[in-house]
Amino acid sequence: MVTLKDIARACGVSRSTVSKAMNGYGDVSPETAEQIRKKAEEMGYLPNLAARSLKTNRTYSLGILFSDQLGSGLKHEYFTGILNSFKMEAEAAGYSITFLSDSLGGRRMTYLEQSRYRNFDGVMVACTDYEAPQLLELVKSELPVVTIDYSFSECTAVLSDNVKGMHDLMHYVFGRGHRDIAYIHGELTSVTKKRLASFYKCCGEFGVNPREDWIIQSRYRDAEACRELTKRLLAEKKRPTCILYPDDFALIGGLNEILEQGLRIPEDISVAGYDGSFLSGLLSPKLTTVRQDTDAIGRTAAKKLIAAVEAPRIWLAEQIQIPGELIPGESVGDLPV
């Protein structure tokens, strides 16, 4: 294991100079400090975690609360992308991550009790029941918390900009001439409510009065349910010219139903998804969708949580919107305006 003494010998300076440089003291010149840090990195130096914790009164451990009632969360590209980028950013800053649950060794514990038991410096909440009493207890505690796609006044929220994402998708669909649009959306979460509000607002901007029986609730990542709802829409005497789906995976159910009925996409009917998953680029025709920037969401969440941990006196709760990107694809065709 490389020690401060080894680095001092390699740099031709004292051990105390190395210590000051590694800890950011001002009585070491910026040039010397940079040389020492570079040499330490080259030599593979890792600070002693126990000593570091004693000095900073931190454990350098972050909790992740991820409790998906449908059991599909860790299979969902959106969340795996966020968790991966959060992990990479946290580890680059010297923090480890641990998943948080409501039990430990068979013993029931609230999220806050387990966070304290594990000595987490902070917690990132990526997916859970945001109205659960034990989550509210965690959010209102002294522990720094950052949430994904849900806002509390007490903590920072990193949000995918679903309002803009739906706005961009709707304007694209309207621009191709579509006015008879159906929207199969997910459960009424805060994300869905934002997308719905943006959907209705865009309809108003284009003077379109959407059919309420074509605005249908389903579930995220439920391809079979979307298949059945698509069958219902296709059975209408006058069917929609375009169907929007809650996510790219759920859209596959609708896609299969459309093709089984001998219809062509986009010649006979158009479809669009949401998420911009890897899968969407493999479908034929290539899917029109909105790609959410999971890398930026996860990295931003890690940076903001670590900032709250390391500088609590200047920390302020904020809402950070991360824009997505419209991917036009080939699944939405042109209609005469």
Side-chain angles (χ1 to χ4, degrees):
M1 176 181 285
V2 178
T3 65
L4 294 182
K5 187 175 180 181
D6 296 329
I7 299 170
R9 187 182 300 115
C11 293
V13 298
S14 68
R15 183 185 180 284
S16 63
T17 299
V18 173
S19 178
K20 290 177 180 179
M22 298 299 287
N23 288 286
Y25 286 96
D27 51 351
V28 177
S29 71
E31 295 79 12
T32 300
E34 178 61 26
Q35 290 173 2
I36 291 171
R37 286 193 290 269
K38 185 176 180 181
K39 178 59 70 174
E41 184 177 350
E42 290 173 357
M43 296 174 69
Y45 171 73
L46 291 173
N48 183 282
L49 184 57
R52 189 182 181 201
S53 296
L54 284 172
K55 183 172 182 178
T56 62
N57 198 31
R58 295 195 293 272
T59 62
Y60 295 90
S61 177
L62 303 175
I64 292 181
L65 177 53
F66 190 91
S67 175
D68 177 30
Q69 294 178 336
L70 296 179
S72 65
L74 286 174
K75 301 174 187 176
H76 197 308
E77 265 191 62
Y78 177 67
F79 290 114
T80 54
I82 290 172
L83 294 175
N84 184 59
S85 57
F86 180 91
K87 176 178 179 290
M88 291 175 63
E89 189 67 32
E91 289 179 347
Y95 287 77
S96 63
I97 63 170
T98 302
F99 280 90
L100 182 63
S101 68
D102 57 2
S103 65
L104 185 66
R107 178 191 166 194
R108 301 289 293 181
M109 301 176 74
T110 68
Y111 297 141
L112 181 58
E113 286 172 340
Q114 189 175 160
S115 296
R116 288 172 174 166
Y117 177 82
R118 293 184 178 275
N119 291 319
F120 290 144
D121 290 327
V123 175
M124 187 267 276
V125 182
C127 178
T128 190
D129 177 1
Y130 285 98
E131 296 180 0
Q134 66 166 324
L135 177 62
L136 298 178
E137 177 191 38
L138 175 65
V139 167
K140 293 177 183 297
S141 73
E142 78 292 346
L143 199 66
V145 175
V146 168
T147 57
I148 303 294
D149 284 338
Y150 195 93
S151 300
F152 294 103
S153 60
E154 296 89 349
C155 55
T156 289
V158 183
L159 312 161
S160 180
D161 195 342
N162 285 283
V163 172
K164 183 179 184 300
M166 182 55 75
H167 170 277
D168 292 347
L169 180 60
M170 288 292 288
H171 275 246
Y172 178 80
V173 170
F174 280 131
R176 308 302 292 265
H178 294 273
R179 297 297 182 268
D180 296 321
I181 303 168
Y183 181 21
I184 301 174
H185 59 79
E187 306 94 317
L188 285 178
T189 62
S190 62
V191 168
T192 302
K193 290 174 182 176
K194 289 174 182 175
R195 292 185 190 177
L196 273 170
S198 188
F199 172 88
Y200 282 116
K201 185 173 187 292
C202 289
C203 286
E205 290 173 0
F206 282 83
V208 172
N209 187 23
R211 282 182 51 171
E212 289 301 322
D213 59 332
W214 286 0
I215 315 301
I216 313 170
Q217 180 172 330
S218 181
R219 299 199 306 180
Y220 289 105
R221 286 188 61 81
D222 193 332
E224 188 56 36
C226 282
R227 178 177 185 142
E228 289 302 314
L229 293 172
T230 300
K231 182 186 291 186
R232 192 173 101 192
L233 289 168
L234 295 180
E236 296 267 351
K237 186 174 182 180
K238 178 184 178 181
R239 66 185 182 216
T241 63
C242 181
I243 305 175
L244 309 183
Y245 290 86
D247 58 80
D248 298 345
F249 185 85
L251 177 142
I252 293 175
L255 182 73
N256 289 338
E257 181 62 32
I258 290 167
L259 296 178
E260 275 196 18
Q261 293 200 23
L263 300 174
R264 300 166 301 164
I265 299 172
E267 292 85 358
D268 299 317
I269 189 166
S270 293
V271 297
Y274 209 101
D275 280 346
S277 64
F278 174 75
L279 180 66
S280 66
L282 302 179
L283 296 176
S284 181
K286 186 178 178 182
L287 183 61
T288 297
T289 186
V290 175
R291 178 179 295 144
Q292 303 190 83
D293 193 343
T294 56
D295 184 70
I297 294 170
R299 290 188 182 278
T300 301
K303 289 177 181 177
K304 291 298 179 179
L305 184 56
I306 291 169
V309 168
E310 297 187 351
R313 288 187 293 183
I314 62 172
W315 172 85
L316 291 172
E318 55 185 322
Q319 291 187 13
I320 303 163
Q321 298 277 355
I322 306 295
E325 177 189 5
L326 174 70
I327 308 298
E330 301 163 345
S331 64
V332 177
D334 288 316
L335 288 181
V337 180

